[in-house]
Amino acid sequence: MRFSTAENDAALAGAVADLLAKEAGPEEIRAGWPGGRSERVDAVWRKLAGVGVAGTLVPEADDGLGLDENALPPLLTELGRSGIPVPAAETVAVGAPLLAAAGAPQLAGVLAGDLLLTASADAGAPVPFGTRADLFVLRTGEQLRLYGCDEVDAEPVGSADGSRALARVTAPPGGGLLLAEGPDAVAAAWRHGVLGTAALLVGLGERMVELTVAYVAERHQFGVPVGSFQAVKHALADAELAVRFARPAVMAAGWAQAAGDPGAAVRTSMAKVLASDAARLAARTAIQCHGAIGYTTEYDLHLYAKRAWALAAAWGGPSDHRELIARELDLTRVGRA
């Protein structure tokens, strides 16, 4: 099947790409790490909210853009490419549409970028941006509920990507505002988070390949560019191919969710598998082709690589989604005789 981006979706992604190119450099990414000036990241998020990012899936009647899941892959790919440490998948794909559907009064603050919203549909799992968020969408049983930061206890959790500000969040039983309930509603929110994270990973993979291609073209050894060596060419070609194969899979998952396709669960999990594998391959290849400098924290590459490692495991890792695909396709494991 041939996929192309609709005009409205492409226009939003283009506007976001232009804004991020001007406002979200490596300095802003580093500002999101512990000890950095997180207000610099918050300022970028408010500007993104100003062009409608937070309200992508929110109906126009609720001051959103009224787009569907087809808009998520191009938009979040750009956000992933930038590396800016914001709860993009958690807010855009999961939290904001749930607040709109429930008529939550906090929605206006989220759409303006004044309230930082995060979400987790995995009960008990560490919550991204849990130490920084103002609002939390959390799963309790077969319900999704909204809590303020003053209603929960957030215990910081370590992560390869320190800018994710992970926390193990505990909410009081019976508290918060009910947003949605039932296994279907919880599963739909979880698939939104998976789709958004897969798109972020595609953007990260693209960015790391771009950085590495530029580096090996400039770095010389034995009097010639490192990029002229066949081993380097082949390694980067493999990484580029993996990212290119993941991109249409993510677009297909967005289409399946928007169309209510019965195979949406399988397509979404396949997108996460391919995007996770591609981003991890891109990170490994980028570090190898950069040589020793690729391992240093002073060099910008680690900001993208660590984000890729963290997101590959978020909203279900590749092995989790392979198992889900096998169950959905009614596959059985064949044991040895």
Side-chain angles (χ1 to χ4, degrees):
M1 184 179 293
R2 180 182 175 88
F3 289 95
S4 61
T5 304
E7 184 177 349
N8 287 345
D9 300 342
L12 175 61
V16 167
D18 291 342
L19 188 154
L20 291 170
K22 298 175 183 176
E23 304 289 344
E27 297 80 8
E28 280 67 37
I29 303 176
R30 292 178 185 275
W33 280 72
R37 295 175 55 195
S38 59
E39 62 268 19
R40 294 183 64 172
V41 183
D42 295 337
V44 175
W45 185 238
R46 282 192 294 272
K47 290 179 180 179
L48 288 167
V51 298
V53 167
T56 300
L57 299 187
V58 173
E60 292 183 67
D62 295 315
D63 296 326
L65 298 182
L67 301 177
D68 62 21
E69 290 88 345
N70 284 300
L72 293 179
L75 169 63
L76 292 175
T77 294
E78 293 298 339
L79 286 165
R81 188 198 307 275
S82 75
I84 191 71
V86 294
E90 290 76 19
T91 298
V92 180
V94 183
L98 286 172
L99 266 64
Q106 298 91 336
L107 178 63
V110 171
L111 296 184
D114 295 328
L115 296 176
L116 193 66
L117 171 67
T118 189
S120 174
D122 290 322
V127 179
F129 303 95
T131 62
R132 295 186 53 220
D134 301 301
L135 299 171
F136 298 80
V137 174
L138 302 176
R139 176 178 178 177
T140 57
E142 294 301 331
Q143 294 182 339
L144 292 167
R145 306 186 75 91
L146 177 67
Y147 301 89
C149 59
D150 57 343
E151 299 178 80
V152 301
D153 293 324
E155 179 185 355
V157 176
S159 171
D161 177 10
S163 68
R164 278 175 59 75
L166 284 180
R168 199 168 298 280
V169 180
T170 304
L177 172 66
L178 177 64
L179 299 177
E181 61 181 333
D184 291 342
V186 172
W190 187 73
R191 285 195 295 270
H192 274 181
V194 174
L195 172 62
T197 304
L200 291 170
L201 284 163
V202 169
L204 284 164
E206 291 177 351
R207 180 61 173 154
M208 288 185 285
V209 171
E210 290 169 359
L211 285 171
T212 309
V213 168
Y215 176 79
V216 299
E218 296 178 358
R219 173 81 166 117
H220 282 63
Q221 194 171 18
F222 305 114
V224 296
V226 173
S228 66
F229 300 150
Q230 191 176 51
V232 174
K233 290 180 181 179
H234 286 186
L236 284 170
D238 288 342
E240 173 68 14
L241 189 62
V243 174
R244 289 197 182 191
F245 267 87
R247 188 187 304 123
V250 176
M251 294 178 69
W255 167 83
Q257 291 191 22
D261 185 78
V266 170
R267 290 184 184 274
T268 303
S269 287
M270 184 60 70
K272 184 59 163 61
V273 168
L274 292 175
S276 298
D277 288 350
R280 293 195 296 192
L281 175 61
R284 183 168 64 249
T285 302
I287 292 173
Q288 183 178 21
C289 291
H290 273 80
I293 194 173
Y295 289 90
T296 65
T297 57
E298 292 81 7
Y299 195 69
D300 294 339
L301 177 60
H302 88 99
L303 300 172
Y304 305 97
K306 290 177 178 177
R307 173 66 51 80
W309 296 332
L311 290 183
W315 295 89
S319 60
D320 299 318
H321 285 283
R322 285 187 171 95
E323 184 176 344
L324 188 151
I325 293 168
R327 290 201 307 268
E328 289 289 331
L329 297 180
D330 198 25
L331 302 177
T332 56
R333 180 172 299 183
V334 179
R336 294 182 178 180

